[in-house]
Amino acid sequence: MENYKEEIKFKLKTLPEKPGIYQYFNDKGKIIYVGKAKNLKRRVTSYFTKNHDTAKTRILVRNIRDIKYIVVDTELDALLLENNLIKKYQPKYNIQLKDDKTYPWICIKNEPFPRVFSTRRIVKDGSQYFGPYPSVKVMNTLLELIRELYPIRTCNLDLHQNKIEEKKYKVCLEYHIGNCLGPCVGKDSQKNYDEYIKQIKHIVKGNISSLIKDLKEKMALAAEQYAFEEAQNYKLKIESLEKYKAKSTVVSPVIDKVDVITMLQDEKSAFVNYLMIANGAIINGFTVEVKKNMAETKEEILAYVLLEMRERFKSISKEVLVEEDLNLEFDEFKFFAPQRGDKKYLIDLSLKNARFFQMDKYKQEKIKNPEKHANRILETIQKDFRLQELPVHMECFDNSNIQGTNPVSACVVFKNAKPSKKDYRHFNIKTVVGPDDYASMTEAVYRRYKRLLDENEPLPQLIVIDGGKGQLGAALEALEQLDLRGKIAIVGIAKRLEEIFFPGDSLPLYLDKKSESLKVIQHMRNEAHRFGITHHRNRRSKAALVSEITQINGIGPKTQEDLMKAFKTISNIKKAKKEEIESIVGFSKAKLIWEYFH
């Protein structure tokens, strides 16, 4: 099989199940198709697994040599980004937009007593544009609501103060029906009108909670007054608004000629995402892996990739958005680290794409070279937990008891960062009376490692205790009794904040929520909890069933044991014939059991 087919097969396995756009490239590296997807993995995979009805689709699939994607937050963002990229690249197999139709925007005009209206044409005159809106219905609903709530003008008169003072205008019908307060004749002040515009900006930016609350109050009032048709109209408007998403992280008309670059890294590689913004839209997105040869700094890697990307995509942007301030200076452009707003959203989107690219590489590595993948994870754990040895063998303990009954502890074993289920062990707590988590933990840890020492079995490089300082202290007590304290690394993980506690440290360690180290530790903790709960449930069930036999007068533990050995379950004993029971326990006891159940 040709190399590109193998590469595509790996990419299909590691695609994220997220909304976004995908790009297909031919053997010359040219984009031949751009598509959007609610679920990238499902949509892209369908091209290569289904029998297609149209010849055009079959030809497209035969010509695909590479796949790239850009992850976004919502289907709406995917739709907008797809639209931008089709216009820019005009891929061979996409529908071509001959009329270059664009999505509409809401414009707040830069003028005295600003108008608020829809437009498909952006004019750089200081006016503010919000959108775009793939649904014209949603946009019109929003404009209708704005005009209903705020008495803003719809005329295109020049309302500079000198024109108003000269009394050049007369009020129109909108004034007489109450839709406008008449700023054209000085009946509405600029200050009062600006307050309307301020509130309208909040709404079109997506801060519509207060508007929905107001409409719900109006709906309730209309219903109380039996104006059900009016109440229904309010309800429909509320539903439209709740579906509405005014703000797009993909397109923003105030951002023009800007580059975005972000980076994630591990011990051996850096994953750098580059976005190119022009005319308020993303026109290029590219993620690259950089292998670290020496101890390169973040600035060195970013500068290297940025200059390469700017050259490749012929960028002339004067501003480059970065996640944090960099110790870099270039004459051609300036760096800016946004903290909020549209530009911060672009940083977050870029980081998201870098993260998915990184996860893809890890998944491909896991498929192609499982041993290398496991070693990389173990090296990360060793570094994060400050271990002297690679934690090839790790164990995790958890206690289970409900209302103090049948206390048990579970020990799960991970080897090469994967569960080794044949090595799992559970402990029925013997020396502890009542629900004492700490004493139970001490007993379980002591019994586990006493046995390993007695049988000369290898000890783990890391012990994980499910719990905070108390449980960790109890486990340490057991290690001290066995003279193992300081010879095996041990940590506790507290559930609520995922705090990692080390012996002797008053302050916990907080790992990145997305770090592979934390994910492995959480997997161990969850496995220990599941294994312990399952065993605990089985013990309680067995105890409850067996105790039913001992309730029969004249039947003791020995008879109970013989019956359970023969019939396995209480249900089988209930169904058994009297003669079958008699053959196990004799005539008189069989009579007692038969009469009890029948």
Side-chain angles (χ1 to χ4, degrees):
M1 186 178 284
E2 297 173 49
N3 279 341
Y4 77 86
K5 290 185 179 179
E6 288 294 335
E7 287 299 318
I8 286 176
K9 193 181 291 186
F10 278 121
K11 287 194 175 184
L12 294 179
K13 290 179 181 178
T14 59
L15 284 167
E17 296 190 21
K18 296 284 181 182
I21 64 98
Y22 53 92
Q23 304 167 49
Y24 292 150
F25 293 79
N26 63 12
D27 54 357
K28 295 176 183 175
K30 184 178 179 182
I31 294 177
I32 56 173
Y33 188 78
V34 174
K36 66 181 181 301
K38 183 177 181 180
N39 182 314
L40 282 166
K41 187 181 185 71
R42 196 179 305 148
R43 181 72 183 109
V44 176
T45 302
S46 70
Y47 278 91
F48 299 90
T49 56
K50 290 183 178 178
N51 292 321
H52 300 289
D53 297 329
T54 63
K56 187 175 180 180
T57 307
R58 291 195 292 271
I59 294 167
L60 165 64
V61 174
R62 282 203 298 268
N63 282 286
I64 297 170
R65 294 294 180 272
D66 194 12
I67 302 168
K68 294 194 186 320
Y69 62 85
I70 299 176
V71 176
V72 292
D73 289 330
T74 67
E75 275 188 277
L76 166 62
D77 290 342
L79 179 65
L80 298 171
L81 184 51
E82 178 197 39
N83 182 265
N84 293 331
L85 293 177
I86 289 174
K87 285 178 184 174
K88 177 174 174 61
Y89 293 108
Q90 298 189 350
K92 181 177 178 180
Y93 294 96
N94 279 101
I95 295 170
Q96 299 303 314
L97 308 175
K98 299 295 184 186
D99 60 350
D100 195 35
K101 179 183 175 183
T102 56
Y103 290 113
W105 304 74
I106 287 178
C107 173
I108 298 179
K109 195 69 175 170
N110 179 25
E111 61 186 358
F113 300 96
R115 288 169 291 157
V116 181
F117 57 90
S118 67
T119 182
R120 292 183 188 271
R121 191 166 64 94
I122 294 174
V123 180
K124 294 183 180 179
D125 61 354
S127 299
Q128 290 181 279
Y129 295 86
F130 300 88
Y133 296 85
S135 170
V136 175
K137 182 182 176 184
V138 169
M139 182 192 68
N140 287 337
T141 299
L142 194 63
L143 285 171
E144 183 187 335
L145 285 167
I146 287 169
R147 286 170 187 147
E148 182 182 329
L149 291 168
Y150 301 100
I152 55 175
R153 69 181 179 116
T154 54
C155 63
N156 59 359
L157 300 176
D158 178 1
L159 296 189
H160 280 87
Q161 191 60 35
N162 61 323
K163 298 286 178 73
I164 297 171
E165 291 172 357
E166 290 172 10
K167 299 185 177 180
K168 287 198 166 192
Y169 311 118
K170 291 182 181 180
V171 293
C172 63
L173 179 63
E174 291 292 303
Y175 171 79
H176 291 295
I177 62 176
N179 289 343
C180 177
L181 298 182
C184 57
V185 293
K187 290 183 179 291
D188 194 5
S189 70
Q190 184 73 60
K191 182 180 178 182
N192 191 44
Y193 198 97
D194 286 346
E195 183 59 32
Y196 302 152
I197 296 300
K198 181 181 175 183
Q199 293 177 29
I200 289 168
K201 285 179 184 177
H202 279 295
I203 293 171
V204 294
K205 283 179 179 177
N207 305 329
I208 58 173
S209 299
S210 58
L211 174 59
I212 290 174
K213 183 181 176 184
D214 183 56
L215 288 173
K216 284 182 177 177
E217 289 172 0
K218 288 188 174 185
M219 181 178 71
L221 183 62
E224 285 175 13
Q225 296 171 351
Y226 302 105
F228 297 118
E229 188 174 341
E230 186 182 347
Q232 176 65 14
N233 287 335
Y234 281 126
K235 183 183 177 184
L236 292 173
K237 288 174 181 178
I238 290 166
E239 287 173 353
S240 293
L241 275 173
E242 285 175 339
K243 291 176 184 176
Y244 157 70
K245 183 177 184 295
K247 193 165 186 57
S248 166
T249 61
V250 176
V251 181
S252 177
V254 299
I255 303 175
D256 186 25
K257 291 186 176 62
V258 170
D259 292 344
V260 185
I261 191 162
T262 59
M263 184 177 92
L264 299 173
Q265 57 184 322
D266 57 29
E267 291 298 305
K268 295 178 180 176
S269 296
F271 304 90
V272 185
N273 176 261
Y274 170 82
L275 299 176
M276 185 176 176
I277 318 297
N279 298 318
I282 296 175
I283 60 170
N284 270 307
F286 198 82
T287 310
V288 63
E289 180 183 7
V290 180
K291 294 289 184 184
K292 298 180 186 175
N293 294 322
M294 308 288 286
E296 293 93 347
T297 65
K298 185 174 184 176
E299 283 85 356
E300 287 173 334
I301 296 170
L302 282 173
Y304 170 75
V305 175
L306 178 60
L307 294 174
E308 169 69 24
M309 293 296 108
R310 284 175 66 89
E311 175 64 27
R312 181 183 301 187
F313 296 112
K314 309 300 181 196
S315 172
I316 56 171
S317 302
K318 299 295 182 185
E319 183 179 22
V320 178
L321 305 183
V322 289
E323 187 183 6
E324 57 191 21
D325 290 327
L326 299 174
N327 188 26
L328 288 171
E329 285 189 17
F330 293 91
D331 294 333
E332 299 86 357
F333 52 85
K334 301 294 181 186
F335 290 102
F336 176 60
Q339 301 302 309
R340 63 187 67 83
D342 294 328
K343 293 181 178 180
K344 179 63 169 64
Y345 283 121
L346 285 170
I347 289 289
D348 293 340
L349 182 63
S350 178
L351 280 169
K352 181 182 283 190
N353 278 279
R355 188 170 294 113
F356 276 108
F357 185 86
Q358 182 185 36
M359 291 300 106
D360 270 3
K361 288 294 179 183
Y362 288 166
K363 288 174 185 176
Q364 289 179 31
E365 179 183 80
K366 187 176 181 180
I367 295 167
K368 292 178 181 178
N369 193 338
E371 189 177 333
K372 182 180 175 184
H373 175 75
N375 280 340
R376 183 182 51 73
I377 292 176
L378 294 176
E379 286 169 4
T380 305
I381 296 172
Q382 183 180 8
K383 179 188 172 189
D384 287 345
F385 287 85
R386 308 190 290 270
L387 306 177
Q388 294 179 353
E389 299 178 79
L390 203 66
V392 176
H393 177 180
M394 297 182 286
E395 299 189 352
C396 180
F397 290 83
D398 182 33
N399 291 333
S400 294
N401 71 73
I402 297 176
Q403 297 176 343
T405 65
N406 306 105
V408 299
S409 280
C411 169
V412 298
V413 180
F414 272 45
K415 291 183 177 177
N416 292 316
K418 290 182 179 179
S420 178
K421 295 193 176 183
K422 65 182 178 64
D423 296 313
Y424 285 14
R425 296 290 183 269
H426 52 243
F427 302 91
N428 298 326
I429 301 303
K430 299 175 181 177
T431 62
V432 181
V433 179
D436 188 336
D437 257 7
Y438 298 158
S440 297
M441 184 63 74
T442 302
E443 180 184 326
V445 173
Y446 179 86
R447 284 170 56 190
R448 169 64 175 167
Y449 297 116
K450 177 74 166 63
R451 180 156 190 167
L452 289 185
L453 289 171
D454 289 346
E455 295 177 358
N456 203 26
E457 291 290 325
L459 297 170
Q461 287 84 38
L462 177 64
I463 300 170
V464 178
I465 303 299
D466 181 16
K469 292 180 181 178
Q471 283 89 344
L472 180 60
L476 280 168
E477 186 180 324
L479 294 183
E480 279 183 352
Q481 292 173 22
L482 296 167
D483 195 28
L484 290 176
R485 180 162 183 172
K487 296 177 182 177
I488 308 176
I490 183 169
V491 297
I493 177 170
K495 283 189 181 75
R496 193 168 67 88
L497 297 174
E498 305 294 38
E499 299 166 312
I500 308 293
F501 289 96
F502 288 82
D505 271 5
S506 57
L507 297 174
L509 169 71
Y510 295 94
L511 293 175
D512 185 330
K513 300 296 182 192
K514 295 184 174 65
S515 80
E516 289 186 293
S517 297
L518 183 59
K519 285 180 180 176
V520 172
I521 300 302
Q522 287 171 330
H523 188 187
M524 292 177 70
R525 190 259 314 278
N526 295 340
E527 270 291 277
H529 186 67
R530 178 197 62 77
F531 187 62
I533 286 290
T534 302
H535 178 57
H536 186 266
R537 191 179 292 124
N538 291 341
R539 280 198 74 202
R540 283 187 293 124
S541 299
K542 188 175 179 182
L545 288 170
V546 170
S547 65
E548 190 174 357
I549 300 175
T550 59
Q551 298 302 311
I552 304 170
N553 289 331
I555 303 299
K558 181 67 174 66
T559 305
Q560 166 189 289
E561 187 179 337
D562 291 341
L563 285 168
M564 290 304 291
K565 275 183 182 177
F567 295 100
K568 308 299 181 188
T569 67
I570 295 291
S571 178
N572 288 340
I573 297 171
K574 289 178 180 178
K575 293 175 186 175
K577 294 178 181 178
K578 188 176 180 182
E579 292 76 15
E580 291 175 324
I581 300 172
E582 189 177 318
S583 66
I584 305 297
V585 299
F587 175 79
S588 58
K589 289 182 180 178
K591 184 182 178 186
L592 291 172
I593 294 165
W594 177 263
E595 288 175 353
Y596 178 82
F597 285 125
H598 298 278

